[in-house]
Amino acid sequence: MDRRSFMASAGAVALSAALPAHARAQAQAAATPGGEDARLRAMLDRFFYERLDSNPERATGLGLDKGERAHLRSKLDDYSAAGKAEDLARAKAELAELGTVDRARLSANAALDYDVVEYGLVNAVRANERFTYGSAGGRYAPYVISQLTGPYRGIPDFLDTQHGIEAAADADAYLARLAQFPTALDQSLDRQKADAARGVFAPDYILDTTLKQLRSLRDKPAAESLLAASLARRAGEAKLGGDYGARAEKIVADAVYPALDRHIAAVTELRGKATHDAGVWRLPDGGEYYAGALRAATTTNLTPDEVHQLGLEQVADLEARLDPILKAHGLSQGTAGERLAALNKDPAQLYPNTDEGREQLLAQLNRQIVAMNAKLPEAFATLPQADVEVRRVPPLIQAGAPGGYYDSAPLDGSRAAIYYINLRDTFDRPKFGLATLTHHEATPGHHLQVSLAQESEDIPLIRRLGGYSSYSEGWALYSEQLADEMGLFEGDPLGRAGMLQSFLFRATRLVVDSGLHAKRWSREKATDYFIATTGIARGRSQGEIDRYTVWPGQATSYKVGHIMWDRLRSEAKAKLGERFDLKHFHQVLLQGAVPLTILEKLVNQRVAARLQA
C-alpha cells in the first residue's frame, strides 16, 4: 500500500460542502448581528459547560471548579449505568440542536467548528447506541475494570495531583470527594457485573495486573494510604490546622477499604472464569466493535486487514533505515530487533534501577526539554505560555500504566503541564531512546500542540479541550521526526536510532493491534513479535501488549496520523516550492485538533490561499 495515497479513499466523514469563501462568509456574519456564527458559538459554549457540570473531575483538572462552579470541587463523576445513559441522551440532544444551525451561513472558521463537533457527536451516538458494554466513541474500552480503566485507578491519583489544597475549603472538598469514592467504586463494579453477565470482562492476565494494583491500594494501614497521607501532608504544608489526616483515615478505613474489598472479591471471581483469549473478537459483535475502534482512533475507514498490511510495510521500511546506523555502531549481526535489544543491554545505555538512578534520568529529561525549547523559534511562529514539567508515574499505578503520557495544564494556570514517564524499571528506558520520548510527550509534541489549542481565543472551548488521537498522536510522532530535522541528533547517531526505533515501535503496533483483535493472535504471539521486531525489553513490551488488549485500536492512531502529517507537509512543499514556510505550515495547530480528513482539507486550503497571495 502506498503510504502517500492510502488516505485518499478513507473518507471517515462526509463534509456537507466545501467551506464557503472567506469574504462572502465574513460579509454575511458582519451583516447579521448575532447571526449564525454567534448562535453557533453560544451553542457550543453551552454544550461545553453543560458537559462540564456532569464531569466534576474534569472541571478540577481544567481549573474551572471556581466561582459559580465551585460546588463541583466537592463532587466526583458519575460512574453508573444511569450516568452513561445520560451522556448518550445529552449527545443526541446536542446533535439535534446542532442540526438547527444553517451551516451555509457560517464563516469558514465557524463551519470548521460545526464540522468537527458534528463529527464527534455523530460517531459518539452511533457507537454508544450499538455497543452497550464498556465504552465506545472517542476511545473504545470494552472493560469497565482493567489495569487501565476504572475509578479505583484514576481517583487516588486525581485527588493527590489535581485537587489542590490551599485553604480549609479545599481540604473539606477533598474529604467530600473521598467520602464519595466508595460510591464511584460500587457504580463501576455494578456496570462490570452487568457486562460480565454478557461475557464481557477482561482476559485472565489483565485481571491479574488489576488485582495487583487493587491490592497495592488496599493492603496498607489506612493512615499510610495515599488517600489519607496526601491530604494530611498537604493540609500540614498549608498550615490549615484541624485533624484532616485523621478524618481522611477514618473514611478510608470505614468506607473506602470495604468498597475495595468488594472490588477485589468480584475481580477475583471474574479471574476464575476468565479465558486467556486477548482480542475483542470474542465479545458480542466483537468484529464490528474493533472496526469501530479503528475508525474512531484513526478517523479513517481503514479495515483491520489494511492496517495490518500497512504495519508490515512500515516495519520493513524502518528496519532498512536502521540497518546502516546499527552497523556503524558495530552491531551487524541479527535482525534490527535483535541488534536494538543488544544495544538496550549495554550498561552505558542504562541508568541504575534505583531512586538515585531515576532522579538522574528525570534530570536528563528536563535538560532535553530546555534544549528543545531553545530551538522552537526556528520552526514555530507561536509558542505556548504554559510550562511543562517531568514526573514519574506514581508507583501505585505504574504496574499497569503506559510508558509515558501527557497531562495538560489547567486553564487557570495553577500548575504546569505534566509529562509522566513510567520508571518501574529503568532497563525499559535506555538512554538512546529518551530524547525521542521527550520530544513526543513534551515539546514539540503533545505539550506544544495541546497548549497552543488550549490557549487560543479563536476556537470554542469545546474544541480547545477536545481532541482526536490520530491528529494528536500523529503530531507527536511527526514531532520526533521534526526534532531530528532541527538538528537535535546532530553528532548523535544512537539518538537517531532511538527515533527510528520509536517509529518502528509505532509501526509494529499496527501489526500487533490488528493481530490481537482481528487475526486472533494470542498475547504470547503478539508479545514475541513485538520484542523480535522492536528490540524493546520484555517487561515494557508485555505492558504494551496488555495496553492494546484493553484499548483496542488506539495504538494504531500514532503511525496512521504521522503518515498523514508527513504527507501533507511533503505535498505543501511540492506545491509551494520556495514559498513554503515551515512556521506557516505549523500555524495550522492554532485551528485545533480535527479528524484527519478535515486536517487534509485545512492544509490544502491554506496552501491554495498562499499560492493566491
Side-chain angles (χ1 to χ4, degrees), residues 123-194:
N123 284 281
V125 169
R126 181 184 298 145
N128 283 287
E129 284 187 325
R130 177 158 190 174
F131 306 110
T132 55
Y133 55 81
S135 61
R139 173 182 290 169
Y140 281 53
Y143 313 118
V144 177
I145 299 174
S146 74
Q147 88 283 21
L148 289 175
T149 54
Y152 87 90
R153 183 189 180 279
I155 288 177
D157 183 53
F158 164 77
L159 289 173
D160 181 47
T161 62
Q162 297 194 38
H163 185 110
I165 305 291
E166 296 179 0
D170 300 325
D172 291 338
Y174 183 108
L175 289 171
R177 278 177 157 164
L178 184 59
Q180 294 167 46
F181 185 27
T183 299
L185 290 169
D186 288 339
Q187 288 173 337
S188 67
L189 187 56
D190 287 344
R191 284 183 56 207
Q192 179 59 87
K193 286 179 177 179

Side-chain angles (χ1 to χ4, degrees), residues 97 197 220 256 602:
E97 186 174 357
K220 60 182 59 179
V256 174
L602 277 178

Side-chain angles (χ1 to χ4, degrees), residues 53-121:
D53 287 340
S54 297
N55 291 270
E57 294 168 37
R58 180 161 171 76
T60 294
L62 294 172
L64 296 177
D65 56 352
K66 299 174 175 62
E68 63 181 292
R69 290 182 173 80
H71 64 284
L72 297 177
R73 192 164 182 76
S74 58
K75 296 181 179 180
L76 294 176
D77 292 353
D78 186 342
Y79 291 88
S80 68
K84 182 182 177 183
E86 287 176 9
D87 288 342
L88 176 57
R90 183 185 303 109
K92 288 181 177 179
E94 289 175 353
L95 186 59
E97 186 174 357
L98 187 67
T100 67
V101 173
D102 185 351
R103 187 187 179 284
R105 294 177 56 207
L106 297 174
S107 67
N109 288 338
L112 174 63
D113 295 335
Y114 180 101
D115 291 335
V116 174
V117 174
E118 180 190 47
Y119 178 94
L121 286 170

Side-chain angles (χ1 to χ4, degrees), residues 374-444:
K375 301 276 288 182
L376 287 179
E378 297 176 12
F380 296 92
T382 307
L383 298 177
Q385 299 174 27
D387 292 326
V388 60
E389 62 183 46
V390 186
R391 295 185 189 176
R392 67 175 294 191
V393 171
L396 183 70
I397 61 171
Q398 66 184 8
Y405 52 93
Y406 173 78
D407 182 15
S408 62
L411 294 181
D412 64 358
S414 56
R415 64 166 172 83
I418 304 170
Y419 152 30
Y420 284 101
I421 183 168
N422 196 326
L423 299 181
R424 57 180 173 251
D425 190 338
T426 57
F427 184 74
D428 293 339
R429 292 297 166 194
K431 294 177 182 178
F432 70 91
L434 286 177
T436 284
L437 183 62
T438 299
H439 300 147
H440 182 106
E441 300 293 347
T443 54

Side-chain angles (χ1 to χ4, degrees), residues 61-383:
L62 294 172
L64 296 177
D65 56 352
K66 299 174 175 62
E68 63 181 292
R69 290 182 173 80
H71 64 284
L72 297 177
R73 192 164 182 76
S74 58
K75 296 181 179 180
L76 294 176
D77 292 353
D78 186 342
Y79 291 88
S80 68
K84 182 182 177 183
E86 287 176 9
D87 288 342
L88 176 57
R90 183 185 303 109
K92 288 181 177 179
E94 289 175 353
L95 186 59
E97 186 174 357
L98 187 67
T100 67
V101 173
D102 185 351
R103 187 187 179 284
R105 294 177 56 207
L106 297 174
S107 67
N109 288 338
L112 174 63
D113 295 335
Y114 180 101
D115 291 335
V116 174
V117 174
E118 180 190 47
Y119 178 94
L121 286 170
V122 166
N123 284 281
V125 169
R126 181 184 298 145
N128 283 287
E129 284 187 325
R130 177 158 190 174
F131 306 110
T132 55
Y133 55 81
S135 61
R139 173 182 290 169
Y140 281 53
Y143 313 118
V144 177
I145 299 174
S146 74
Q147 88 283 21
L148 289 175
T149 54
Y152 87 90
R153 183 189 180 279
I155 288 177
D157 183 53
F158 164 77
L159 289 173
D160 181 47
T161 62
Q162 297 194 38
H163 185 110
I165 305 291
E166 296 179 0
D170 300 325
D172 291 338
Y174 183 108
L175 289 171
R177 278 177 157 164
L178 184 59
Q180 294 167 46
F181 185 27
T183 299
L185 290 169
D186 288 339
Q187 288 173 337
S188 67
L189 187 56
D190 287 344
R191 284 183 56 207
Q192 179 59 87
K193 286 179 177 179
D195 285 355
R198 303 171 59 195
V200 181
F201 53 99
D204 54 10
Y205 59 93
I206 294 298
L207 295 178
D208 285 339
T209 304
T210 303
L211 284 168
K212 180 179 179 180
Q213 294 184 164
L214 280 164
R215 288 172 178 144
S216 177
L217 182 61
R218 169 64 177 86
D219 291 346
K220 60 182 59 179
E224 297 176 17
S225 70
L226 176 68
L227 294 161
S230 174
L231 178 59
R233 173 180 54 80
R234 292 187 291 148
E237 291 171 350
K239 297 180 173 56
L240 299 184
D243 201 354
Y244 285 105
R247 293 165 66 186
E249 178 187 353
K250 181 173 174 54
I251 295 171
V252 171
D254 293 349
V256 174
Y257 277 180
L260 287 172
D261 289 338
R262 292 191 288 275
H263 246 58
I264 291 169
V267 173
T268 301
E269 182 179 354
L270 290 178
R271 173 63 179 82
K273 302 175 182 177
T275 71
H276 197 64
D277 293 328
V280 296
W281 54 264
R282 66 185 176 84
L283 304 180
D285 205 8
E288 184 50 39
Y289 187 91
Y290 183 57
L294 284 180
R295 286 192 296 271
T298 67
T299 60
T300 74
N301 279 337
L302 288 171
T303 68
D305 283 342
E306 288 171 330
V307 166
H308 197 79
Q309 183 60 33
L310 177 65
L312 293 172
E313 293 171 2
Q314 288 282 306
V315 165
D317 175 66
L318 289 160
E319 287 175 335
R321 293 172 63 187
L322 271 162
D323 184 63
I325 299 176
L326 296 174
K327 283 180 176 176
H329 193 67
L331 296 167
S332 58
Q333 300 299 314
T335 65
E338 290 169 341
R339 287 179 282 169
L340 287 166
L343 182 59
N344 194 156
K345 295 174 184 176
D346 182 350
Q349 292 298 322
L350 299 174
Y351 285 98
N353 196 35
T354 62
D355 288 343
E356 183 180 0
R358 292 180 176 89
E359 288 302 320
Q360 293 171 4
L361 191 154
L362 292 171
Q364 175 62 13
L365 300 185
N366 280 304
R367 288 192 292 271
Q368 290 164 353
I369 290 174
V370 170
M372 173 52 82
N373 284 344
K375 301 276 288 182
L376 287 179
E378 297 176 12
F380 296 92
T382 307
L383 298 177

Side-chain angles (χ1 to χ4, degrees), residues 1 12 29 82 136 177 284 423 435 494 510:
M1 189 180 299
R177 278 177 157 164
L423 299 181
L494 289 185
L510 300 175

